[in-house]
Every structure is written in C-alpha cells, then in structure tokens.
Amino acid sequence: MAVMNITPDSFSDGGSLYHDQVDLDLVFAHAERCLSEGATILDVGGESTRPGAKPVSEAEELARVIPVIEGLAARFDAVISVDTSTPQVMIEAARAGARLMNDVRALQREGALAAALETGLPVCLMHMQGTPQTMQHRPDYDDPVMEVFQWLMHRIDVCLDAGFSADQLLIDPGFGFGKTLEHNIALFQHLDRFVQTGYPVLVGVSRKSMIGEITGRPVEQRATASAVAAAIAASHGAAILRVHDVSETRDAMAVMQALTQGMQ
Ligand code: 7PJ
C-alpha cells in the first residue's frame, strides 16, 4: 500500500503532491511510479494526522481527495483506499472508485460507522490513544499489547453488531499513534497476536519517528530502515504494508523471502 498524501502538512512528504491545491499531474505520476515499483493499493488521504496537525473541514477534505480518487480510478487498475475518518468523505470516495476504507479513528466519529457500512467496502480499523492533537503528549498503558488488542477486538465487535461481516474488517495496531518507542516495539514484537485473530493486519511504520529514534536519522533518510521494518512485519504475517518507499520495501521483501523460503 503506497501512501498518497494530498496534504500540505504531512510529516514525511507534506506538500510534495499539494501546492495550495492538489496537483493532479504530480499525483498521477507518483501513483504510476508506485505501481510500477510493485504497490497494489494506493492510500489517498486528505487529512494530516501528524502529532499536532490542524484539523481540516469536510469540504476541504472532499476537495482534496475526491478528484484524486476519480482520476486514479479512471487511469489505474489498482485498489484505491481512502485514509479518512469523515462520513461524507467515505460515501463520496466509494462513489468515486475507492475500494477500501482506512480509518485511523476506527469509525468512532459520529456517523462514520453507518457511512462505512453503507459503502459495503472493507474497512481497516486502527488503534490510536488520544487524538492527533494530543496523542504524543504522554502515551500511557499498563500493558500496551493487551490494551491495544482488546480495544481493537472491541471495535470489531461494534462493527459486527452494526452489520459488518467479519471478512470486511482489517486491524492495525496504529504504530506511532499515542505510543512511545517502547510501546511501538512491544506491539511489533507481538504482531503475531494480532495476526492470529484471522483479521488481516495492516502495518504502517514508514518513516515514522520510531524509525528515526532507532536509527537517529531525519525523516528524508528513513527509507532503508522503514523497508527493513516492513519486511519484518511481513515475516510476522502482516497482510498489508503501508509505505512511502515502495521500491526499497519490495527489495527488502524479496531478499527476506528468498533467503528464508528460497527463490520461488
Ligand atoms: C497510518 C495510517 C497507519 C493506517 C497514517 C503516517 C501518518 N493508516 N495513516 N495505519 N498512518 N491504517 O503516515 O505516518 O499506521 S498517517
């Protein structure tokens, strides 16, 4: 899953596809490159969720992502996912051609559960402690793995009760969303636990501060380390890797698979 941030302010690539407004030619060129490098999903997001990011209005989010989704759907044979928590964006994104909902708030926003259900699409439920504005102030858990796990299972139950089928749901521990490095590492070490539920697990660690803390590198130099982390996540059974650096991730995956399972 390749990250397509249609925002002026995302931490890793803010503004690269967006200058005052969406630059569709740049978006399509970026998508083409990601797909040629081996991505199969394009994750389109119009709201930055970096720590302390400014909230965007529904109108602004729609204006950012809907033309992009329509254009991508018309041009590419790829699964388009929409990284949103906003009910109206879910509905209109599905109409525009999105095939997966990716909600970092796990459908907790008012109306989001009903909107996602109405689309009939699969949904990725992600765990976050706090809000993007506050989440890194003082993340606090007694047992991060148990608490994140139980929270996700609770959200799964809420979705099943609302009428989703089990095969529509994916889960994501939400690396970096209200977690210290220690919490992120504990979750990573216990990914199997999430995988064993049978729900496909999405992992997003690409260029995040946990990678920066481990390597000491600034965000523009985290591609290699992010690819290694993604490959390790895959080796623990992650089904979808959300990444910025598709080519590096593909190489890391190829080496890991060849050296652990032999050339296929
Ligand atoms: C994630 C995401 C993630 C899922 C972002 C960033 C921040 N969606 N959206 N999982 N992260 N499912 O790219 O670092 O980890 S936005």
Side-chain angles (χ1 to χ4, degrees):
M1 172 187 274
V3 178
M4 312 273 300
N5 279 326
I6 316 299
T7 57
D9 60 344
S10 288
F11 81 97
S12 57
D13 57 357
S16 64
L17 303 177
Y18 184 101
H19 306 272
D20 302 321
Q21 57 175 16
V22 189
D23 187 331
L24 286 175
D25 289 336
L26 277 179
V27 172
F28 300 147
H30 184 62
E32 178 137 37
R33 177 171 161 195
C34 292
L35 294 171
S36 73
E37 291 176 349
T40 54
I41 306 173
L42 302 170
D43 190 40
V44 178
E47 180 208 14
S48 172
T49 46
R50 69 186 284 170
K54 264 205 286 179
V56 292
S57 69
E58 177 185 299
E60 177 64 28
E61 201 187 337
L62 286 167
R64 289 180 186 179
V65 302
I66 300 304
V68 168
I69 293 170
E70 275 172 356
L72 291 173
R75 280 169 184 74
F76 301 107
D77 182 25
V79 172
I80 298 165
S81 80
V82 60
D83 192 340
T84 189
S85 302
T86 312
Q88 196 58 28
V89 175
M90 294 178 186
I91 301 280
E92 295 194 27
R95 259 188 229 131
R99 289 293 165 264
L100 172 65
M101 302 281 130
N102 175 27
D103 185 2
V104 299
R105 296 177 182 80
L107 305 181
Q108 290 180 102
R109 216 173 239 176
E110 179 152 16
L113 199 65
L117 192 60
E118 187 185 323
T119 68
L121 295 176
V123 182
C124 180
L125 304 168
M126 197 197 79
H127 174 274
M128 164 163 40
Q129 185 179 84
T131 68
Q133 285 68 44
T134 63
M135 64 189 182
Q136 291 307 110
H137 289 177
R138 200 180 299 260
D140 181 39
Y141 304 83
D142 290 326
D143 181 340
V145 177
M146 176 85 90
E147 286 169 50
V148 171
F149 183 85
Q150 287 181 345
W151 190 89
L152 284 174
M153 292 306 106
H154 172 69
R155 291 308 298 165
I156 290 270
D157 285 342
V158 169
C159 289
L160 294 174
D161 287 347
F164 282 91
S165 62
D167 63 8
Q168 264 180 292
L169 302 172
L170 299 83
I171 54 174
D172 181 343
F175 291 99
F177 284 87
K179 284 129 190 143
T180 64
L181 177 60
E182 200 187 350
H183 300 143
N184 288 316
I185 288 175
L187 286 163
F188 209 99
Q189 288 179 334
H190 292 87
L191 263 186
D192 320 50
R193 182 91 198 264
F194 296 84
V195 171
Q196 279 160 13
T197 63
Y199 291 101
V201 174
L202 190 155
V203 167
V205 291
S206 185
R207 300 187 186 172
K208 284 186 179 171
S209 62
M210 62 183 282
I211 302 294
E213 288 174 75
I214 294 168
T215 59
R217 291 193 182 273
V219 70
E220 67 280 4
Q221 294 173 14
R222 294 177 190 164
T224 306
S226 297
V228 172
I232 297 171
S235 76
H236 287 282
I240 300 180
L241 307 169
R242 184 180 181 279
V243 308
H244 299 86
D245 306 288
V246 177
S247 168
E248 287 83 348
T249 307
R250 189 199 47 198
D251 285 356
M253 292 279 296
V255 171
M256 186 197 65
Q257 278 171 351
L259 299 186
T260 58
Q261 296 158 37
M263 294 295 284
Q264 305 288 320

